[in-house]
Amino acid sequence: MSGTLLIKNGHIIDPANAVDGVANLWIKDGKIVAIGAYDGEAEREIDADGKIVCPGLIDMHVHLREPGQEWKEDIESGSRAAVAGGVTSICCMPNTGPHIDHAGIALQIIARAKQVNLCNVHPIGAVTKNLEGKELTEMRELSRCGCVAFSDDGLPIWHAGVMRKALEYASSFGFMVIQHAEEKQLTAGGAINEGWISTQLGVSGMPAEGEDSMIARDIMLARKADARYHVAHISTQGGVAMVRQARAEGLKVSTEAAPHHFALTEEEVLGYNVDAKMSPPLRTEADRLAVIEGLRDGTIEVIATDHAPHHEDDKRCGLSCAAFGIVGLETMLPVSLDLVRAGVLTMSELIAKMTSNPARLLGLDAGTLSVGAEADVTIFDADATWMVDREKMVSKGKNTPWHGKTMTGLVTHTVKAGRIVFAEGDVCG
């Protein structure tokens, strides 16, 4: 976009460049041209006094549902929800219909995202054909067509032999394999975390061992293959401990945490609350604290939402049969800001987990305010409060456990390639 945009008086935090202070940010023709002094005149201005100015957020774990389930979400509605939450780059998971297991679907998604033109959309390709866990996809071809990593998310790569081959093949090209860590033989039929609350509600549970055993198996395979292995939406204290140990050994192991797993516990499902049903499930307070400690000590490098929109009919059918998943794009930032308020992370550390860290893991040219970089910028008021109203959410999915709850932290502007795509609650387009 042509023209010069000045974002003035904001507290600029750019972890990639160790920038943390009040300054002006200058954007010209869609690129960052200066932080501080600049010999030019602004055609447009945003006064960010009292607000944080940071790189556009990156969410590396999003379900956009298109193609195949557009009544739940589509690329346009998902992109609008993203920029409303300050997210300028999203990575979409392959459990669409058809799946992102061949080049044509990846190219279709990228083309559609360019038409919508609100945020970057990077496909994550399937590891196995039809997500069946049996036969590997053409990962090299998918990579050439824009896939930035590989996963069967929504389902685990259950077969150990197939996972070994996937890691060995991915290792030869430097690809990252993302695992939905769940041993289905242990979790089959489960709806929530296995424990006292599942017993109290009379609902089948999903034991933590279902996640832990898969992570343990995969770390052994990743060690043998010298592969890049990433645990999606980690939720157990055992899982965090194993990833910590693997990283201490120097293995190429990484992980992410979803806001709901460090902000909520299994008690949220009391009263048969279907909006608190997700996979992996909300777990115990001990697990929640372990995830927080993993974020604090750097074991968990990324915060990602696992944004999983559903139609109301898929949720309003009882806890046992309701679909897994919640929406998260519009609430990721304020929920995560609680980590700063609690002294777990500095503001710069938090922003790194949603910008430079996922960019580095995925090889994205994003997550920074470096001079010359594409001007993807998020501006937010860390102290502003607002109430979550599912009916006012931009996403087609209204399945959130935060409905009616007060949030602290409000995105005021989202800038994509120098263009204001969101301001004061309205998508500018």
Side-chain angles (χ1 to χ4, degrees), residues 354-404:
M354 296 185 284
T355 57
S356 54
N357 287 4
R360 171 177 48 80
L361 286 175
L362 295 167
L364 302 181
D365 187 15
T368 176
L369 299 179
S370 300
V371 171
E374 189 165 274
D376 295 351
V377 184
T378 298
I379 305 173
F380 64 93
D381 185 337
D383 299 317
T385 59
W386 57 285
M387 182 172 290
V388 179
D389 182 347
R390 71 172 86 247
E391 299 308 320
K392 294 181 180 179
M393 298 187 83
V394 178
S395 172
K396 287 184 180 180
K398 311 302 179 184
N399 45 306
T400 174
W402 282 287
H403 173 65

Side-chain angles (χ1 to χ4, degrees), residues 12-78:
I12 299 176
I13 298 180
D14 179 13
N17 292 301
V19 175
D20 189 343
V22 176
N24 293 336
L25 179 67
W26 292 84
I27 298 168
K28 184 175 182 180
D29 298 334
K31 303 287 186 180
I32 305 292
V33 293
I35 293 178
Y38 178 69
D39 186 17
E41 293 186 1
E43 297 172 44
R44 297 166 297 149
E45 292 186 359
I46 297 174
D47 188 353
D49 183 36
K51 299 181 178 66
I52 302 293
V53 178
C54 69
L57 305 184
I58 299 170
D59 189 346
M60 66 176 285
H61 193 143
V62 173
H63 298 270
L64 286 180
R65 306 303 189 199
E66 183 180 349
Q69 294 182 315
E70 288 84 355
W71 64 91
K72 295 186 177 188
E73 190 82 283
D74 56 41
I75 291 171
E76 181 173 356
S77 65

Side-chain angles (χ1 to χ4, degrees), residues 48-165:
D49 183 36
K51 299 181 178 66
I52 302 293
V53 178
C54 69
L57 305 184
I58 299 170
D59 189 346
M60 66 176 285
H61 193 143
V62 173
H63 298 270
L64 286 180
R65 306 303 189 199
E66 183 180 349
Q69 294 182 315
E70 288 84 355
W71 64 91
K72 295 186 177 188
E73 190 82 283
D74 56 41
I75 291 171
E76 181 173 356
S77 65
S79 296
R80 290 182 180 277
V83 297
V87 177
T88 57
S89 295
I90 55 181
C91 300
C92 58
M93 287 294 171
N95 60 337
T96 48
H99 307 302
I100 311 176
D101 60 359
H102 58 282
I105 299 302
L107 292 171
Q108 175 185 329
I109 289 169
I110 292 170
R112 177 60 183 144
K114 288 180 178 178
Q115 283 183 327
V116 171
N117 195 27
L118 285 173
C119 66
N120 297 320
V121 176
H122 303 285
I124 290 180
V127 172
T128 68
K129 294 180 180 179
N130 205 34
L131 306 187
E132 291 179 344
K134 298 178 180 179
E135 184 179 357
L136 297 184
T137 60
E138 298 291 342
M139 285 189 271
R140 179 62 170 161
E141 181 183 8
L142 285 164
S143 174
R144 288 171 175 159
C145 293
C147 290
V148 296
F150 296 90
S151 179
D152 278 2
D153 186 69
L155 293 169
I157 304 163
W158 58 272
H159 192 291
V162 172
M163 185 58 160
R164 177 181 175 179
K165 290 177 182 178

